Amino acid sequence: MTGFDSFAMVDWSGGNDTGPRPRKDAIWACVVRNGRAEEPTYFRNREIAEQWLCDLIASEVATGRRLCLGFDFPFGYPRGFANALTGSDDPMQLWEWFERRIEDTPKANNRFDLAGEINRRFGGKGPFWFNGLQRSIDGLPKDKSDYQNPFPERRVVELAPETKGSFSCWQMGGAGAVGGQVMTGLPVLTRLRRAFAGKVSVWPFEVLDKPVAFVEIWPSLTLGAGPDGRIKDAWQVEQIALSLAAMPVEDLANQLNVTAPEEGWILGVSQRKPDIAPPPLRNDCFALPAGVNWTPVDDALALLRERLTVIAPAETEPLAQAAGRIVAEDIVARRSNPPQPNTAVDGYGFAGAAPEGAQVMPLHPGRAAAGIPFDGTVPEGHALRVLTGAALPTGVDTVILEEDVNLQDNHIAFHGPLKHGANTRRAGEDVAEGDLVLIAGRRLTPADLALLSATGIAEVSVRKTLRVAVLSTGDELVEPGEIAGPGQIFDANRPMLLSLINRMGFYPVDMGRVVDDREALRDCLNAAAKQADVILTSGGASAGDEDHVSALLREVGAMQEWRIALKPGRPLALGLWDGTPVFGLPGNPVAAMVCALIFARPALGLMAGEGWQEPQGFDLPAAFEKRKKPGRREYLRARVRDGRAEVFASEGSGRISGLSWAEGLVEIEDGARHIKPGDAVRFIPYGSFGL
């Protein structure tokens, strides 16, 4: 296949004649030759557009220019539909089937009736839906309340991440309806193929070895709203034609190298899913630089941030099930918010500003309400009753509050001045179609779900929830509720860490307690590695005789013991068990919680896909006095009262009550410090760690 000499892109419409003046939601086309775009052309109806296309193809063929001609509607239906109607999977036979049955004039066509006729062949409840006419049609419902589709809802290409927000070809009317475009567009393409027999190839159904190639495009794949003052459809066909004309021949050939014999495909959507996964963590990912055996907190954090990678794969979830999940890729608005200009108040709408002084206007019959638009045009000099959230009808761009109006004898009276556009909202003034609304790595909040829903996002690509196994080690531990013998203590770490993991938004996996037996611990670690993405242990992280966690990690050659310069919680064992990262926390509950917050929390977030999260701290006056020697960073259990940071009375690392008493930590830097009441200290609330 050689390259193309000219490119023409068409934005189609299944509606009626749109009149002589160029407008949106109509048919637009643009031609690019030699890298230069002609002025986009407006067509008021399909009859005129078809003649223009016929003339364009004839001109390009006659002059020997190879033409790439793109249309923004599907060339095929989901699998099985063509065969059900024609007895063949060949989409060209389906094209001809529609061409024989569609009756189309500039003022009307029979697409809704044909959809009802097709539905009746399959039980009368689908696959098509949305009757856009005032009269009822047997077999074609107004909505999807009793809808049943015997075929797939979407084509394979419409399930790709790039095409989120595309509309189904089964929808015959309403915003974004594609069904009407397909039914009125395919007959035109069929007649063009017939008129230029042997000159046209249809992608991706045929080899592109003819002078003209028909290809399917979707402008919203790469483009959003156009510049101010330009009609979006006109701008989009121009930009697509220019981008294809500027594309290297080899790159375009790669995009056209697609196999989709029945359903068709959208140009620009890759069929090749990258065979890529996060790289495995190397056994030396936790290794300290040569000669380093005493690690400052900032250095330890920097090493974790540098060495760790995302290990949670992506999956697509419905919006309703995505709360608290981590966004896997940037999300772009599929629809503007508001989608149309609308009124911000209950009142009366009219066109233009109102000058100073008394104003009296006749009231036009009808009203506009949210979800119930006014069907018609408000005459100049007249007002219409409008309710909050209603789309502004044609002839309305300004609204006066109902509290400022007197109503009598079918007229309204009010005092000006009132500026043009008062009490209205512009389309897209919050978010415009194509805007970046959320970036990859964000953990979805309830407010995010509202934003995504309002901008047309029905499902999102999110990271699978990171599974974190928690196990406690030590002969001295017993479960709360059991009888503790001499020298035994209740396991406080495991319930604390499991709750921490859950509150942080990860999935806790309870691996229970393990006695000080190396083989039992080995079995538990093996089980944890199969069930979780990361393992947290408490106890056994030092180098003593009973510190089996660090001993086993050393045995498999994947362990580093970081002696962190902090108080509390000096030893931190880091390693890999069967490729699964292991964080060996200190056994002391206070040290275990501090190390979990300071080190494990940002590391888990990075591996989960939300990036490295720095806890947000605040400088507050101290309500205490403390002298600190240089060398170690210290974290004191603290809370805020009357705008001042208080610290727990004892710094003893065994005082668990201080964790419960506290609302966060006071961080004291590595150097020497003498803190007096009123001095500024950095307070980090527990909430900054996601608790």
Side-chain angles (χ1 to χ4, degrees):
M1 184 193 73
T2 59
F4 294 99
D5 304 297
S6 53
F7 296 82
M9 300 295 120
V10 182
D11 187 294
W12 200 248
S13 172
N16 294 334
D17 189 293
T18 50
R21 297 181 61 184
R23 51 163 287 182
K24 65 178 182 177
D25 300 326
I27 303 174
W28 285 90
C30 183
V31 178
V32 171
R33 297 186 185 91
N34 300 318
R36 297 177 63 88
E38 297 180 359
E39 187 70 22
T41 304
Y42 163 77
F43 305 99
R44 59 185 296 172
N45 58 56
R46 287 176 296 281
E47 188 176 279
I48 298 173
E50 184 174 349
Q51 184 59 55
W52 180 87
L53 288 166
C54 190
D55 294 342
L56 172 68
I57 294 172
S59 171
E60 299 306 289
V61 170
T63 55
R65 287 190 291 264
R66 195 153 188 267
L67 171 65
C68 178
L69 185 50
F71 298 87
D72 74 329
F73 54 81
F75 284 6
Y77 282 84
R79 64 185 181 277
F81 181 67
N83 193 289
L85 284 189
T86 70
S88 171
D89 294 333
D90 182 1
M92 296 296 96
Q93 291 195 30
L94 183 62
W95 285 26
E96 293 171 359
W97 191 94
F98 277 115
E99 196 270 334
R100 291 192 297 270
R101 289 164 175 78
I102 282 290
E103 301 168 3
D104 194 4
T105 70
K107 292 295 185 181
N109 62 66
N110 68 333
R111 69 184 191 273
F112 294 110
D113 292 287
L114 183 57
E117 176 187 326
I118 295 171
N119 280 3
R120 292 194 294 274
R121 297 187 180 203
F122 304 108
K125 296 183 178 181
F128 295 102
W129 66 280
F130 199 117
N131 174 9
L133 303 179
Q134 295 297 318
R135 60 182 172 85
S136 62
I137 296 177
D138 184 21
L140 184 63
K142 290 281 187 182
D143 54 37
K144 300 181 77 172
S145 57
D146 193 28
Y147 178 71
Q148 295 179 14
N149 191 347
F151 305 102
E153 185 66 21
R154 294 181 179 274
R155 301 181 295 163
V156 171
V157 68
E158 291 154 357
L159 301 177
E162 304 99 303
T163 59
K164 289 178 183 176
S166 61
F167 288 85
S168 168
C169 58
W170 306 123
Q171 182 181 342
M172 294 300 299
V178 173
Q181 291 179 292
V182 180
M183 279 197 186
T184 59
L186 293 183
V188 171
L189 299 191
T190 302
R191 289 190 289 271
L192 292 173
R193 288 183 75 239
R194 191 180 302 140
F196 297 94
K199 304 293 185 182
V200 176
S201 301
V202 179
W203 177 82
F205 309 131
E206 300 171 329
V207 177
L208 299 184
D209 56 358
K210 305 294 192 298
V212 180
F214 289 174
V215 301
E216 180 185 337
I217 61 171
W218 184 43
S220 295
L221 183 68
T222 55
L223 299 170
D228 291 342
R230 294 203 63 181
I231 293 174
K232 174 184 173 182
D233 299 339
W235 177 76
Q236 285 189 336
V237 292
E238 175 191 78
Q239 294 303 306
I240 293 174
L242 284 170
S243 65
L244 291 177
M247 188 177 296
V249 173
E250 183 178 344
D251 290 351
L252 181 55
N254 287 335
Q255 290 202 14
L256 292 169
N257 184 21
V258 165
T259 301
E262 179 183 354
E263 295 186 333
W265 203 257
I266 298 171
L267 183 61
V269 179
S270 174
Q271 280 193 332
R272 296 183 299 277
K273 294 184 178 180
D275 184 17
I276 187 171
L281 295 168
R282 302 187 312 273
N283 281 353
D284 63 350
C285 66
F286 296 121
L288 294 174
V292 174
N293 56 15
W294 187 261
T295 313
V297 171
D298 288 338
D299 290 355
L301 292 173
L303 285 168
L304 288 173
R305 185 172 187 174
E306 175 188 344
R307 308 278 182 83
L308 295 175
T309 59
V310 179
I311 61 176
E315 62 182 357
T316 300
E317 290 286 354
L319 188 61
Q321 298 176 22
R325 301 289 291 278
I326 297 168
V327 177
E329 57 188 39
D330 293 350
I331 302 177
V332 173
R334 298 294 183 187
R335 191 187 195 205
S336 296
N337 183 50
Q340 302 165 311
N342 64 85
T343 174
V345 299
D346 292 344
Y348 298 87
F350 49 87
E356 189 171 357
Q359 309 294 323
V360 177
M361 290 183 183
L363 189 61
H364 193 66
R367 71 169 193 171
I372 310 176
F374 176 76
D375 185 14
T377 300
V378 179
E380 185 176 356
H382 287 64
L384 181 77
R385 173 66 167 160
V386 295
L387 301 181
T388 302
L392 296 181
T394 304
V396 171
D397 54 26
T398 303
V399 175
I400 179 76
L401 276 75
E402 65 176 21
E403 294 87 349
D404 296 334
V405 171
N406 280 335
L407 176 64
Q408 185 176 328
D409 298 331
N410 221 29
H411 283 69
I412 64 168
F414 63 91
H415 284 284
L418 191 68
K419 66 180 180 180
H420 177 243
N423 301 311
T424 65
R425 307 183 184 102
R426 302 185 311 277
E429 72 173 28
D430 178 25
V431 178
E433 180 183 346
D435 282 355
L436 177 66
V437 288
L438 293 177
I439 62 173
R442 181 176 178 88
R443 191 177 290 274
L444 290 170
T445 67
D448 294 335
L449 300 190
L451 174 62
L452 295 179
S453 181
T455 53
I457 309 298
E459 55 184 20
V460 290
S461 177
V462 293
R463 296 287 177 185
K464 287 190 175 181
T465 303
L466 195 74
R467 299 175 65 88
V468 183
V470 176
L471 64 98
S472 295
T473 67
D475 289 335
E476 74 278 12
L477 299 178
V478 296
E479 287 291 299
E482 295 180 356
I483 297 175
Q488 292 185 313
I489 59 174
F490 296 116
D491 183 4
N493 284 353
R494 203 170 89 255
M496 174 184 71
L497 293 174
L498 288 168
S499 179
L500 282 177
I501 296 306
N502 184 61
R503 292 285 293 272
M504 291 172 181
F506 311 117
Y507 187 89
V509 180
D510 187 357
M511 299 304 299
R513 293 177 293 109
V514 183
V515 296
D516 287 325
D517 178 273
R518 198 158 297 186
E519 291 309 309
L521 179 58
R522 187 193 307 275
D523 291 342
C524 189
L525 288 174
N526 287 337
K530 292 177 181 178
Q531 298 180 49
D533 305 301
V534 184
I535 302 171
L536 291 189
T537 71
S538 63
S542 285
D545 293 340
E546 299 299 329
D547 290 325
H548 298 296
V549 172
S550 53
L552 279 176
L553 289 173
R554 284 194 190 92
E555 184 180 302
V556 298
M559 185 271 181
Q560 294 292 327
E561 182 183 341
W562 288 11
R563 299 178 66 214
I564 310 294
L566 89 160
K567 178 184 177 182
R570 186 177 305 175
L572 184 64
L574 300 164
L576 295 175
W577 187 267
D578 195 19
T580 303
V582 179
F583 283 74
L585 303 175
N588 184 290
V590 177
M593 181 166 176
V594 169
C595 284
L597 296 179
I598 302 303
F599 299 107
R601 173 63 184 96
L604 293 173
L606 193 154
M607 290 186 283
E610 65 178 337
W612 187 268
Q613 302 293 310
E614 298 279 358
Q616 177 66 55
F618 304 90
D619 287 340
L620 296 174
F624 62 92
E625 182 173 2
K626 175 179 173 59
R627 292 181 182 272
K628 175 188 170 297
K629 296 179 180 180
R632 288 198 291 174
R633 183 167 304 181
E634 294 192 17
Y635 291 92
L636 309 179
R637 287 151 283 176
R639 66 184 185 185
V640 177
R641 292 294 183 269
D642 299 324
R644 294 157 66 89
E646 300 178 350
V647 296
F648 191 57
S650 170
E651 295 182 18
S653 57
R655 299 287 293 274
I656 302 176
S657 61
L659 293 175
S660 176
W661 173 91
E663 298 166 347
L665 302 172
V666 160
E667 180 185 62
I668 305 178
E669 59 271 28
D670 301 351
R673 183 85 189 271
H674 180 194
I675 300 171
K676 299 178 180 178
D679 289 349
V681 292
R682 184 171 187 251
F683 174 74
I684 309 174
Y686 285 153
S688 288
F689 300 101
L691 306 185

